[in-house]
Amino acid sequence: MHFTSSLVKPSVELRTFSIRGDERGSLIALEAGLDVPFDVKRIYYIFGTTENVARGFHAHRNLKQMLIAVSGKVRIRCELEGRIEEVWLDSPDKGLCIEGLVWREMHDFTPDCVLMVMASEHYDEADYIRVYEEFKRVQA
């Protein structure tokens, strides 16, 4: 099977969003092209994750995503260009922007975790790489 390489340069960037609010509470506003560096075509969220379950275990060829734990916390493990980066998403003012050919895993969800993901494209199974060995071959 032949795979084309990623058109999007692989990257992982932790961003911090501005919190606005007053005595009534807090608010974070995110704008595509500014806080989220791409146009958002799909949003989904992961919640109610069973204890000790990890998720992800795939890469995308070209998709851009912004991950935000709007509640609770989760540890994100990313592999790109021969290095591994791990980050805790533990506050709704943190977002992890993942672009291109990056293997991603999600671990250590707290019971109250709600992980929201904004994506640059609609769902496309052809963009997924679900086998780690295949990711390593495509990455080379």
Side-chain angles (χ1 to χ4, degrees):
M1 191 177 279
H2 175 69
F3 296 96
T4 59
S5 62
S6 175
L7 301 175
V8 175
K9 180 172 174 32
S11 68
V12 175
E13 178 189 1
L14 184 63
R15 292 179 168 227
T16 303
F17 308 121
S18 297
I19 300 174
R20 295 174 177 85
D22 54 27
E23 67 280 350
R24 299 171 297 165
S26 299
L27 176 142
I28 296 174
L30 302 176
E31 297 185 16
L34 297 174
D35 308 286
V36 180
F38 52 83
D39 288 334
V40 177
K41 292 188 179 172
R42 183 167 64 113
I43 298 172
Y44 62 93
Y45 41 95
I46 299 167
F47 63 99
T49 303
T50 306
E51 189 176 359
N52 298 319
V53 168
R55 300 197 51 154
F57 297 94
H58 65 270
H60 292 280
R61 288 177 170 76
N62 294 299
L63 188 70
K64 299 174 184 179
Q65 295 180 310
M66 177 69 74
L67 288 69
I68 301 169
V70 295
S71 177
K73 69 180 186 175
V74 61
R75 180 173 54 91
I76 310 295
R77 181 185 183 278
C78 296
E79 181 177 338
L80 68 155
E81 299 178 327
R83 71 182 191 278
I84 294 175
E85 295 187 23
E86 288 193 351
V87 64
W88 278 95
L89 294 179
D90 56 5
S91 174
D93 70 335
K94 291 181 184 178
L96 187 64
C97 187
I98 303 175
E99 299 187 3
L101 194 61
V102 176
W103 186 261
R104 78 252 358 245
E105 300 174 5
M106 297 161 274
H107 299 270
D108 303 319
F109 287 85
T110 58
D112 61 339
C113 184
V114 177
L115 180 64
M116 180 179 67
V117 181
M118 292 176 269
S120 64
E121 303 299 328
H122 296 178
Y123 177 81
D124 179 7
E125 183 61 33
D127 188 62
Y128 280 76
I129 299 173
R130 297 189 183 274
V131 177
Y132 181 75
E133 291 75 19
E134 186 178 317
F135 163 74
K136 295 301 279 184
R137 277 194 308 273
V138 172
Q139 188 183 37

